[in-house]
């Protein structure tokens, strides 16, 4: 069963890659993004480094891949510098696909044998790690394509708007809640642990994310021109960049279009607003007289909901309007910014060894997002899952859900 | 009594200024710092803008001061750009002192009359605001002087080391605690409110701050060379800057000296380490096998302690070793970094009007420090007080207190 | 004959491209360089824009190519921003080759007809323009490859050192010389005209370029550590970048290797030093007690020499030692820095219309290089040819020839 | 007589300083500018370093001044970093004035004795050096004051426009001219030597500089919006900075005012345009269908003119309209940009020793300006004098004189 999961995950990465040309996969449009070919290699490097290199008799595919495809594991050794990944035209995509094949064969053989619980845990982590990079393949190529004046379409799709439920607020009682994940249970990342008590005051959570139409009203009302709505760093940023709408929007009042993975399309008013950063999310909430939820408020509501929604579907890849009732779209569509800074839970211990670098060293200056997006592989998300990005980051499929006291 | 407080606060600012020449007061050594003359004017502008301009018949001292000395209040109008404050040789220090006199006379007259509760609150805020800037006068001139190869001494003082208590850990029970301040009580900033329930797990807090001697051991043990001890952003920063010790330290192992407001002095091993940033504080804690406390853990311990310690004293201005027993030096000496990101408490409402910009718009990307320092005016600090700076900031008198689960 | 020249030039570009993968051709490693696929398209755009668009009935290949592949001709319209050329994975290399085919067919047809002298001149300019970009294809891919830790080899070649003539100085009489090209003669760029009188004082010119071995002596003698040898801007630059040898050298004294288009190779002491910038060239000359020649001194000697040497040869692509006697290697091997700032000759008139932007607007801050290099197509160079680059530029095949009074 | 010249020059520096407060003299508004107090000290350091330190028994005033006030002489030793000069509030202005007194007394004594020709030459150089810094005191404080929204006036003066001669062109015959200065003659800088032959083609030189009124026409005609008028680097710069008029101009068409050392004043149409950079000068010339003169063309005309004009006068300090006939205003008013890149004359030898760093290491990337300005001390300028600045520099009193073939 782990083998099946391994195989299907590896296959999905290659399906994603098959949507692109070798030239596409070469692009790195900013230091935060990586070429898709690099993602293909790095996820493979993960299994080679943390599993196969410990297997007696294993011969590495290429010695120098250890440096080229190490992302940030100082325990493992040096890393090729991140902002220059886009210069690596060699190894070619084909060589990287050969690398994948070589590792997959070794892994298939390995997985057919006796595996300790600890090794199973690392392989499961490797699978989840690859799923995270699947989402990044989309967000990174989307950023690069968005800078091309031809606005290339990765997939062919004509989005059509649908009805959306009217915005309601779900009231939740205050009290002590157990939040986070139990390390002994199903797979989770170390940053979701330990499960711990949190006192949550009574609050209300919006029944659905903020829509494009609602966000367009904020813009039309002068939202990007009123410093009083913005965090100080956010205001400085939009002034410096002359920003007046979300990063992938184009046009003006009443005539907005949006760059999507299916090309430039007319904005759908009822779909969730997407690719907003934390500053935009907070400014919108202030304008609306509301606030963002904490990550615990979000979790308390989400854990009672089925884990289903507009998750990764190679024919969609964009948030969609939903007309369901109740607490909807908590999973999928858009990652939802919370007001919680990304940090350690009480009693948190990073994983031992190199894998301790996976999550813990990023616990400064970032904010938690919850719920997954339309680019998150099904099966990868859960109510305790903590994604994290800097407040200025907007190249993820990130949106807004409101809350209030 | 408010008049007395007003008078003594205003007088202290001028005593601080009297330690400096007009040339000193002109310096702005980085965008985050301001010239001392600007601090003298801005604190005055505060009373003029928020009190006197509402008084019938009041004539502003100079119309253009409204722009020049507005720090960041967009509600009040435009601001002269912050990084260029150091270019304002005119108005001269003397003209700014005249401005202070003019405002003080108007305020004395005003304070002799009938004052509403709301006005009293604003004046009290203005007094506390000026106290904050008194601390900044020291930290800002210290930064500027530290770049002068002559290492000027603002005051004459020869620091001598004393004994220090051995490091102990105070155990505190877990449970629900009421934290923060009650807006209806004594003066506090809006960001300390509302008082609210927090569940705190059992923890231990160090009985005193980390000393210079202990920090020197961290350095000697390769603390600045091991990426596994550092947050990712912190490691990137020290590599980029070639940093290998705290910003005001000089020399090398066994021969450290430190730039102080009394000039360059031999490092005192038993005094608290000072001018470390959040990254350094976290790296030290990781190396020591501990962690930083949350702001609530700190508060739970501090509220049982007397508010006394090495606070602002024009003859000292540097943290000192303390040999007292128990939970010592929580107040004064050094601001203590906590692991809590600076954000809104549940139910927080910014003050209404322009003064709502005072604290709330900075709630992104910064960390809370607690307890005041050797540059904090006595009477200004309390257990619920929340100071906040970016994780890279090290020009404040900031230090480290350890905690553990 | 113009058709033949057109065909052979176009064919050479495609031969160069055939050495690379589509991924290679996507790379842009710095703003000054362009992806090879962009060079392929831009040179084609030139013929389309300046010839075919004026032909009745011509249908553009793709309307948007006008913006994408316009380099810097403001007269023609907007340009896609230069530093972002590397993000254009679409159009694909294959589409660009289709574009070339489309334009070539139209041009072949066009060239079979009656052509005015003015049109012939523009086509000849377009051919020379494409030759310039052929050299850039090599220099740009070399820069990108040099950043790849695998040091890819574009061609397979093992360079071997040969004997070199001992350095001699050729004495030239002073006097009035006619320099530059006559616009009415064979093809030349507008910046070579008009032919004009220059008074040249008696001087001596080195019989060959400075070799790697000689340059290694300069390094060994502390050349990169002595500020007195350097121009002020050059010294600031090497300090800021920590530079201690030419950009493509690796290793240290006695063990130098050099990145070449045939991969990393042991440095050949007798080959001309290459990829040095103006600052390095001047520093070397000062160390050697000599100076760089002016462009006129160079020209006065070169015009008596046969135009032959180590010019573009797809099997070599690197400067080589030469043991001939006399004034050698003036053409080919390395572009030779002169002390002449790039500017207008007396009486210079830029070409009319858009093509006036070709050369004249770059006449500030750059220096003239003469003689062509091992990447310059044969037939493209002549004694009056003026190449120009900024003093910090070192990614061209640029070297040093000494002179003295 | 050398003593008299020494005394009067030193006195003038102090007269200039007396126009400013200590706070003014502290300002450094950009890396290219220096605080006036630094100029006062550095000019003094020059005499101490190159004369007095060689005098037996001389005791330096302060040891550390050697580093603090060394501008760029690597032969003399380390230098305090240039962009940080503004942070040196200590030593105070008063201490620097004491330094001046100390050096002056030593120099007076020294000058009363027997002095070798070589020493006389160095002292004369020191005097001319101080005169150069006198001009810089004005240009540097002007830049700093221009950033102060109060637009401080250094002097009290109301400028009034006068009549100006209509623009004529003076025709000069082509031929071989001897240009530059003879090192054996009166004082000159090393960069003016040697006197050498230059072939100059027939040309015409404008009889006076371009006026503000003429430049305003260029603006009104869209001069800052047409890329075809600009050098490529200049166009990039004005787009990046959003520049649409000279740096010290304010307002718009028909309502221009200009920041001057006498404060903000209505633009005088007939006064020479001032504070334009090389890019602006070239763009204007292109628009006018003319060009800039070479430095030799300028010199050939200027050497027949009396050295008189609107030179440094503490009551003026701004270019003024002139109604004289003939070749006017060649000296004073504004430095005139030439099309000549700053480089070595044929046969140039830098001065020996440390003073060889004075001029020669700046011979890259700068352009020659001729004729002095309204801030140049009388007696300091001559027809062979070569000033030099980068093409983007506009904080000097720099203007435009046209030429044509």
């Amino acid at each position: 069963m782990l083998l099946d999961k391994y195989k299907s995950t590896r296959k999905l990465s290659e399906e994603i890659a098959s949507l692109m040309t070798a030239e596409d996969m070469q692009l790195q449009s900013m230091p935060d993004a990586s070429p898709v070919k690099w993602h293909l290699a790095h996820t493979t490097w993960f299994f080679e480094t943390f599993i196969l290199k410990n297997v007696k008799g294993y011969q590495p595919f290429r010695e120098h891949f250890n440096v080229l495809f190490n992302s940030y594991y100082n325990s493992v050794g040096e890393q090729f510098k991140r902002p220059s990944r886009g210069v690596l035209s060699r190894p070619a995509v084909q060589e990287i696909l050969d690398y994948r094949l070589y590792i997959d064969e070794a892994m298939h053989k390995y997985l057919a044998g006796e595996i300790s619980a600890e090794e199973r845990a690392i392989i499961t982590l490797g699978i989840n790690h690859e799923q995270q990079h699947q989402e990044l393949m989309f967000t990174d190529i989307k950023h690069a394509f968005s800078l091309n004046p031809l606005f290339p379409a990765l997939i062919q799709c004509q989005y059509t708007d649908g009805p959306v439920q009217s915005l309601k607020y779900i009231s939740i009682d205050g009290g002590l809640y157990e939040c986070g994940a139990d390390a002994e249970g199903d797979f989770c990342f170390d940053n979701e642990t330990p499960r711990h008590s949190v006192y949550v005051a009574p609050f209300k959570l919006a029944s659905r994310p903020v829509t494009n139409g609602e966000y367009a009203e904020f813009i039309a009302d002068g939202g990007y021109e009123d410093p009083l709505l913005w965090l100080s760093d956010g205001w400085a940023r939009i002034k410096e960049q002359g920003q007046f709408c979300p990063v992938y929007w184009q046009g003006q009042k009443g005539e907005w279009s949006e760059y999507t993975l299916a090309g430039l399309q007319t904005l759908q008013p009822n779909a969730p607003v997407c690719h907003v950063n934390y500053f935009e999310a907070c400014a919108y909430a202030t304008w609306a007289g509301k606030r963002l939820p904490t990550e615990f408020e979000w979790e308390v509501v989400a854990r009672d909901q089925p884990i289903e929604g507009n998750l990764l579907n190679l024919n969609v890849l964009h948030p969609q309007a939903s007309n369901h009732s109740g607490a909807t779209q908590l999973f999928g569509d858009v990652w939802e910014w919370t007001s919680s800074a990304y940090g350690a839970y009480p009693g948190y211990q990073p994983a031992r060894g190199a894998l301790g670098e996976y999550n813990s060293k990023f616990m400064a200056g970032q904010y938690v997002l919850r719920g997954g997006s339309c680019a998150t592989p099904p099966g990868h998300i859960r109510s305790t899952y903590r994604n994290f990005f800097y407040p200025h980051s907007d190249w993820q499929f990130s949106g807004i859900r409101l809350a209030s006291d």
Side-chain angles (χ1 to χ4, degrees), chain A:
Chain A
M1 210 180 96
L2 188 56
L3 178 59
D4 290 346
K5 184 78 180 156
Y6 177 87
K7 284 183 175 175
S8 63
T9 303
R10 299 287 287 170
K11 183 156 166 268
L12 179 55
S13 297
E14 286 148 28
E15 282 172 4
I16 295 170
S18 73
L19 301 171
M20 307 174 198
T21 66
E23 291 161 80
D24 294 338
M25 286 191 258
Q26 187 62 44
L27 302 184
Q28 180 179 36
S29 54
M30 63 169 171
D32 282 347
S34 296
V36 167
K37 66 193 277 192
W38 188 92
H39 288 298
L40 290 174
H42 167 64
T43 49
T44 306
W45 170 94
F46 191 97
F47 291 109
E48 184 179 45
T49 302
F50 296 117
I51 294 293
L52 295 176
K53 286 204 173 161
N54 302 321
V55 172
K56 204 174 158 177
Y58 174 76
Q59 295 294 326
F61 182 71
R62 300 273 188 274
E63 276 302 346
H64 51 259
F65 280 19
N66 195 38
V67 168
L68 287 187
F69 300 122
N70 181 356
S71 52
Y72 54 63
Y73 295 88
N74 293 305
S75 322
V76 171
E78 258 191 295
Q79 302 117 46
F80 183 64
K81 49 185 182 293
R82 177 169 192 155
S84 299
R85 287 173 186 164
V87 87
L88 300 174
S89 62
R90 319 280 178 97
V93 165
Q94 188 52 57
E95 188 174 352
I96 288 170
L97 292 174
D98 292 346
Y99 178 37
R100 291 183 69 91
L101 196 61
Y102 180 89
I103 296 301
D104 283 351
E105 285 172 359
M107 284 296 294
H108 294 169
K109 202 164 135 194
Y110 175 78
L111 282 159
E114 195 84 4
I115 311 176
S116 73
E118 191 179 356
E119 288 158 336
R120 293 185 71 83
I122 294 175
I123 294 164
T124 305
L125 178 62
I127 289 168
N128 277 273
H129 171 258
E130 183 143 354
Q131 290 177 316
Q132 292 183 310
H133 282 273
Q134 288 163 352
E135 179 151 3
L136 293 173
M137 291 187 212
F138 289 114
T139 58
D140 293 3
I141 197 72
K142 186 172 183 177
H143 185 266
F145 276 8
S146 77
L147 302 176
N148 187 327
L150 309 183
F151 297 118
L154 188 71
I155 59 169
Q156 299 307 318
C157 183
Q158 181 63 49
Y159 301 119
T160 52
D161 207 11
V164 69
Q165 66 153 304
S166 65
L167 185 60
K168 300 187 194 71
Y169 282 86
I170 300 155
S171 291
I172 305 290
D173 290 341
L176 263 188
Y177 289 86
E178 294 299 295
C179 292
D182 184 347
E184 304 307 309
D186 289 341
F187 172 79
C188 66
F189 289 109
D190 62 4
N191 62 10
E192 302 170 50
T193 68
R195 195 160 169 79
H196 65 290
S197 298
V198 179
Y199 180 80
V200 176
F203 71 99
K204 293 176 182 172
L205 189 73
S207 60
R208 59 159 175 78
V210 171
T211 64
N212 283 322
E214 289 162 347
Y215 199 86
E217 282 178 54
F218 162 68
I219 299 176
D221 194 39
Y224 283 78
E225 290 137 42
D226 181 359
L228 301 184
L229 299 173
W230 294 79
L231 285 160
S232 181
D233 290 351
W235 180 249
R237 186 177 170 83
I238 65 169
K239 285 297 102 182
E240 186 188 312
Q241 311 208 335
Q243 198 184 344
F244 61 91
C245 66
V247 61
Y248 292 150
W249 287 29
Q250 300 214 346
Q252 52 182 341
K253 190 178 168 179
E255 295 177 7
W256 293 112
S257 56
E258 185 182 15
Y259 177 66
T260 74
L261 284 171
L264 199 62
Q265 304 229 349
T266 303
L267 190 76
Q268 305 172 73
N270 289 341
V273 66
C274 191
H275 295 292
V276 291
N277 65 28
Y278 181 76
F279 299 127
E280 289 171 304
C282 289
Y284 179 86
T286 300
W287 173 78
K290 307 292 179 185
R291 61 172 174 81
L292 300 184
T294 68
E295 62 172 320
F296 303 116
E297 290 171 339
W298 190 96
E299 184 174 330
V300 159
V301 175
R303 65 186 173 197
D304 294 334
Q305 303 297 321
I307 303 180
E308 58 189 32
N310 178 16
L311 292 159
L312 175 53
N313 174 336
L314 296 188
N315 299 313
V316 181
L317 297 174
H318 201 64
Q320 302 296 323
S322 162
N323 196 21
H324 294 188
S325 62
T328 60
Q329 297 177 289
L330 283 156
F331 297 106
D333 283 308
V334 289
W335 286 99
E336 300 179 8
W337 284 107
T338 74
S339 65
S340 299
Y342 176 54
Y345 284 167
Y348 168 68
Q349 292 297 334
R352 273 175 305 163
L355 292 169
E357 294 188 62
Y358 198 106
N359 281 309
S360 66
K361 72 182 176 186
F362 303 107
M363 290 175 169
Q366 310 201 42
Y367 282 83
V368 173
L369 300 103
R370 294 292 195 119
S373 81
C374 57
T376 305
H380 182 67
I381 194 68
R382 61 199 156 268
S383 66
T384 58
Y385 195 111
R386 308 172 81 199
N387 203 349
F388 46 90
F389 283 96
Y390 288 97
H392 65 265
S393 301
D394 53 15
W395 92 106
Q396 293 300 304
F397 290 88
S398 47
I400 313 169
R401 185 181 298 267
L402 299 176
S404 72
D405 296 324

